[in-house]
Amino acid sequence: MKRGERHPIFALLDAGVPVAICCDNSTVSRTDQLRESELVAREVGLETVERIHREAAAYTFIRPEAALDPSHGD
């Protein structure tokens, strides 16, 4: 994507495709979840970002009951 081009997330949102706002490796990309969410919110609004985060939970591969439980260290 070239600087100034519209990010593909907008086409996905317009088409009703579920999306998530993520940052995989904050040490390499020099960003974090909050910064990425703020950038998206500037374009689509805070309410849309809140909805994206709420709806993304339905698509996670993380088992909430074991996510931070050290006894499930497998």
Side-chain angles (χ1 to χ4, degrees):
M1 218 176 87
K2 293 181 182 177
R3 185 174 296 274
E5 286 184 353
R6 193 166 192 232
H7 194 281
I9 194 171
F10 300 106
L12 296 169
L13 290 170
D14 290 344
V17 176
V19 299
I21 303 168
C22 305
C23 73
D24 288 341
N25 190 334
S26 59
T27 58
V28 172
S29 59
R30 297 184 191 167
T31 191
D32 59 32
Q33 186 66 44
L34 180 59
R35 182 172 169 1
E36 294 303 305
S37 293
E38 288 173 342
L39 289 170
V40 176
R42 289 182 200 159
E43 300 294 324
V44 299
L46 183 57
E47 296 79 18
T48 300
V49 170
E50 290 171 341
R51 180 178 54 80
I52 289 170
H53 285 302
R54 267 194 318 274
E55 292 176 358
Y59 298 95
T60 185
F61 59 88
I62 297 171
R63 296 184 327 254
E65 68 278 2
L68 299 176
D69 185 349
S71 67
H72 288 88
D74 41 12

